[in-house]
Amino acid sequence: MEQALSHTQQHTLRLLQQYNTQQRFYGKSYPKIPFLFTHNARDFIVEELPLYPFSNSGEHRILKIRKKNLSTLQCVGLIAQALQLQIKAIGYAGLKDKNALTYQYISVPNKAFMANQAQVHAIPQIKIIESCLHENKIKIGHLRGNHFIIRLKKVMPQHFERIQEEAFAAQQYGFPNFFGYQRFGNFGDNYMQALQIKKPPNKQSTLQQLLISSLQSVYFNLWLEERLKISSIMHNFNLTDSIKALTSIYNITMDREIIEILHKAALPLTPLIGDVCMHYPHGKFFYFGEKQVASMQPQEITIKQILSHDIKRLHQGDISITGLLSGMGCHQTSHTDNTESKKQKKCHVKLAKDYALHIEEKFCHEIMAHGTRRYAWVYPHDLHIAYHQEHAHVDMSFTLPSGAYATSFLSYIKNGDVRIF
């Protein structure tokens, strides 16, 4: 029997119930670009890029597999059954789309594979492309990124020009790293079930872990939308009106000099003092506005120089703002540095400070997961686009970092949610 929700959970429930009914805000003012994306194995191909070269020696067999119309968990289940293993003995780096043609790497105990490889080769939806040995089991997140090949349909010539322009702009300036619809299940509401999960992460089933991650994803997406709305104010209003809007709507009262610097920077995602940034595409966390210029003595550095240094690195894509994936002990009740420090010791994840915390805490909730952080802004690369006017098709290929969704990239180009058919 479901337990009664607390007052806080009821408030959270109302917030979540609005999530599926509202149009996502992407921070762009142009009308939606019309095109059709058909999510199937012909028009959606994904290839996983491993994090490092495999050693070709060890107790684990690395299988590069091709699967069609099969989820990663279904694939792992079939392989485990064929090898007479428990599912937990199979390693994989990430979940790949079901309604697609996907290539990914799976690790299995080599002894079991050698004894039962004929049964694996007999699985009709799976084909082994390559195999080698390695010392370690593949773990979640052990991938450099994913390469996508996608076809868009019903694209008129004038709309192709807009698609091409927006795609290459995103390659240069990045795009918001929203979680894609795949994260939320067939009906888009997996996260609602996660409110009732009370077990700690190490006691949760695979399904419960997926539900919890879905809830983390919703809070992240809501936070990112809020930050894009703040950025939209900075882009579309003059300095004086931006200050008034930030004060009245968000109670952000930064010094005029700081807001002027951020306003002039015109970054697609406006940073706030206290944002947790991270070197891109991987590296250490640090706070925006506190980074010191290495060539200068600390007493010589002004806030303007610090901000200018960090803003330049954001423009160049050397660093990126990160958002929180809520977890145990992450809930904030105060903006003070003292409280922030105590909470960090409890939740074991770096939390925003100052004005960035003022926004982050609205989407920071106690849920049964290990909190972490995620890039809020990412960059596609190896982008290629071709238009086939006779068929009104656009063929795109590009690479995204680990955890980024191709459908979120398409939605940003479109300036509207990509409808799946």
Side-chain angles (χ1 to χ4, degrees), residues 177-193:
N177 193 23
F178 284 112
F179 283 99
Y181 71 90
Q182 301 95 318
R183 193 78 165 187
F184 308 114
N186 292 334
F187 300 101
D189 60 355
N190 274 359
Y191 53 88
M192 302 295 288
Q193 302 175 55

Side-chain angles (χ1 to χ4, degrees), residues 34 42 91 150 170 188 205 238 242 256 260 289 314 330 354 357 374:
R42 291 178 301 171
I150 285 175
S205 67
N238 60 36
S242 293
R256 184 182 181 91
E260 185 175 4
L314 284 169
C330 288
D354 300 324
L357 171 62
R374 169 183 172 86

Side-chain angles (χ1 to χ4, degrees), residues 402-415:
S402 173
Y405 287 77
T407 48
S408 295
F409 179 41
L410 297 179
S411 295
Y412 184 65
I413 293 172
K414 184 184 183 73
N415 193 31

Side-chain angles (χ1 to χ4, degrees), residues 389-419:
Q389 187 169 350
E390 65 276 20
H391 301 295
H393 290 174
V394 170
D395 289 331
M396 299 178 62
S397 66
F398 51 89
T399 300
L400 294 178
S402 173
Y405 287 77
T407 48
S408 295
F409 179 41
L410 297 179
S411 295
Y412 184 65
I413 293 172
K414 184 184 183 73
N415 193 31
D417 295 345
V418 173
R419 297 188 63 186

Side-chain angles (χ1 to χ4, degrees), residues 194-210:
L195 294 174
Q196 297 290 347
I197 297 174
K198 307 299 181 184
K199 294 180 181 178
N202 62 336
K203 300 292 184 180
Q204 293 169 11
S205 67
T206 300
L207 175 59
Q208 288 173 324
Q209 290 174 351
L210 287 173

Side-chain angles (χ1 to χ4, degrees), residues 300-364:
E300 298 176 347
I301 301 174
T302 66
I303 184 64
K304 183 175 181 179
Q305 290 170 318
I306 294 172
L307 293 180
S308 297
H309 179 253
D310 286 351
I311 286 170
K312 180 179 179 181
R313 298 171 77 199
L314 284 169
H315 269 301
Q316 294 173 339
D318 295 333
I319 63 175
S320 180
I321 297 168
T322 68
L324 176 70
L325 296 182
S326 292
M328 297 178 293
C330 288
H331 184 60
Q332 293 290 313
T333 58
S334 171
H335 292 254
T336 65
D337 289 343
N338 184 48
T339 300
E340 182 270 338
S341 177
K342 290 180 180 178
K343 291 294 182 180
Q344 283 199 33
K345 290 179 182 178
K346 181 180 178 183
C347 72
H348 306 293
V349 61
K350 202 173 189 70
L351 301 170
K353 301 197 301 185
D354 300 324
Y355 296 104
L357 171 62
H358 185 71
I359 304 301
E360 180 172 281
E361 67 178 354
K362 299 175 184 178
F363 308 99
C364 179

Side-chain angles (χ1 to χ4, degrees), residues 65 170-171 175 232-233 302 363 374:
I65 63 168
Q171 180 172 242
F175 71 97
S232 182
I233 290 172
T302 66
F363 308 99
R374 169 183 172 86

Side-chain angles (χ1 to χ4, degrees), residues 59-97:
E59 298 179 355
H60 296 271
R61 173 69 58 173
I62 306 298
L63 306 176
K64 182 180 182 181
I65 63 168
R66 183 182 70 200
K67 64 181 184 64
K68 182 177 180 181
N69 297 327
L70 198 67
S71 73
T72 296
L73 295 182
Q74 289 172 328
C75 172
V76 168
L78 290 173
I79 292 176
Q81 183 178 10
L83 296 181
Q84 301 178 32
L85 294 170
Q86 293 185 342
I87 288 179
K88 64 182 181 181
I90 313 294
Y92 56 93
L95 301 178
K96 295 293 172 287
D97 297 81

